[in-house]
Amino acid sequence: ISETNINSSAAAEITAVNVAVGDYVNEGDVICTLDSTEISRQIEQVEKAISNENNLASMTSKQNQTALENAQADLDSNLSNAQSAIDRANGTYNEASTQLKNDQAALDALDPNAIDYETTKAAYDEKIAADKQALSAAQAAIDEAKSAYDQTKTAGERAVADAKNSIEMASYQTTESNSQATLDDLNKQLEDCTVKAPGSGVVTAVNVKVGDTNTPGAALVTIEDTSSLKITVSVDESKINLLQEGM
């Protein structure tokens, strides 16, 4: 005899018991039903939570992508501005260098025998001193502009890297964790609110009644398949002649 204990994973109230001991059932017959109201409500809540999680993940993904694009755009723009500052400083330096060369050449070209030589030389000496100061200031401006470029590049590349890290970290997160596992379990419980016979057989035990609260995993009903049942009995010799095939 093949014995099957039928159970349900739903911890819910039993609303109907459709069999009694001795009944013969076929595979797929509804043995009993359980109240699915609370389970359905929980499924709705979890599905809503998963939807919210998915929407949040999608929004976060878009925000992270936008942050990366903005960080890259800021880096490009700031580096362009920093490079322009270097170019301007180089231009100022070149102008000061040219002015110094011109003034020095003019000084060198003065005629020492000219009446106003000393006065003119003194004027050029002042201009050359001013030119050298301007050249020094221009070099300092170049150094400062290059330093600002390097700082801008470092800060911008760090911002881009941080944005990429945010995207990568988000890719490891999944909404199919606890919420999805809970939903799968609830759907299994909902399915188990309608308890069906897994095979044909005779009901040999009914362990519950309407109004009881099911204990998940506990046997609700036991079915035994007697199709291949064989019984060995002893018969008194005086009654053997009373036995007939099919009795």
Side-chain angles (χ1 to χ4, degrees), residues 137-177:
Q139 181 60 59
I142 291 175
D143 295 340
E144 183 178 352
K146 288 182 176 179
S147 176
Y149 182 95
D150 292 340
Q151 292 176 5
T152 297
K153 186 173 185 291
T154 299
E157 289 179 343
R158 184 182 298 114
V160 170
D162 289 343
K164 289 181 178 179
N165 286 338
S166 295
I167 292 176
E168 185 175 1
M169 290 177 62
S171 69
Y172 291 111
Q173 298 175 354
T174 174
T175 58
E176 297 182 0
S177 53

Side-chain angles (χ1 to χ4, degrees), residues 9 32 49 87 90 110 114 118 123 133 152 161 176-177 183 192 209:
S9 62
C32 63
D87 294 341
N90 280 326
L110 290 178
E118 293 299 333
Q133 289 181 352
T152 297
E176 297 182 0
S177 53
L183 180 61
D192 282 357
K209 63 182 182 299

Side-chain angles (χ1 to χ4, degrees), residues 192-212:
D192 282 357
C193 283
T194 301
V195 181
K196 297 180 180 180
S200 301
V202 176
V203 176
T204 57
V206 177
N207 303 317
V208 292
K209 63 182 182 299
V210 173
D212 288 348

Side-chain angles (χ1 to χ4, degrees), residues 45-208:
Q45 289 181 335
V46 174
E47 286 178 339
K48 184 176 181 180
I50 290 177
S51 177
N52 290 340
E53 290 173 0
N54 289 335
N55 290 337
L56 179 59
S58 177
M59 184 181 301
T60 300
S61 176
K62 291 179 180 179
Q63 290 176 340
N64 288 341
Q65 185 61 40
T66 299
L68 174 58
E69 293 171 358
N70 290 341
Q72 186 63 58
D74 288 344
L75 173 59
D76 294 341
S77 176
N78 292 336
L79 285 181
S80 177
N81 292 336
Q83 183 61 52
S84 295
I86 293 175
D87 294 341
R88 288 193 299 271
N90 280 326
T92 300
Y93 179 89
N94 291 335
E95 291 175 0
S97 178
T98 299
Q99 185 64 48
L100 175 60
K101 289 178 181 179
N102 291 339
D103 290 340
Q104 185 65 54
L107 175 61
D108 293 342
L110 290 178
D111 182 3
N113 297 316
I115 297 175
D116 59 347
Y117 173 77
E118 293 299 333
T119 302
T120 305
K121 180 179 180 301
Y124 274 111
D125 286 341
E126 289 183 5
K127 290 184 64 177
I128 290 173
D131 291 341
K132 289 181 178 180
Q133 289 181 352
L135 190 64
S136 177
Q139 181 60 59
I142 291 175
D143 295 340
E144 183 178 352
K146 288 182 176 179
S147 176
Y149 182 95
D150 292 340
Q151 292 176 5
T152 297
K153 186 173 185 291
T154 299
E157 289 179 343
R158 184 182 298 114
V160 170
D162 289 343
K164 289 181 178 179
N165 286 338
S166 295
I167 292 176
E168 185 175 1
M169 290 177 62
S171 69
Y172 291 111
Q173 298 175 354
T174 174
T175 58
E176 297 182 0
S177 53
N178 294 335
S179 295
Q180 188 59 51
T182 299
L183 180 61
D184 292 343
D185 180 65
L186 288 171
N187 281 325
K188 177 62 169 60
Q189 292 184 43
L190 181 63
E191 181 182 355
D192 282 357
C193 283
T194 301
V195 181
K196 297 180 180 180
S200 301
V202 176
V203 176
T204 57
V206 177
N207 303 317
V208 292

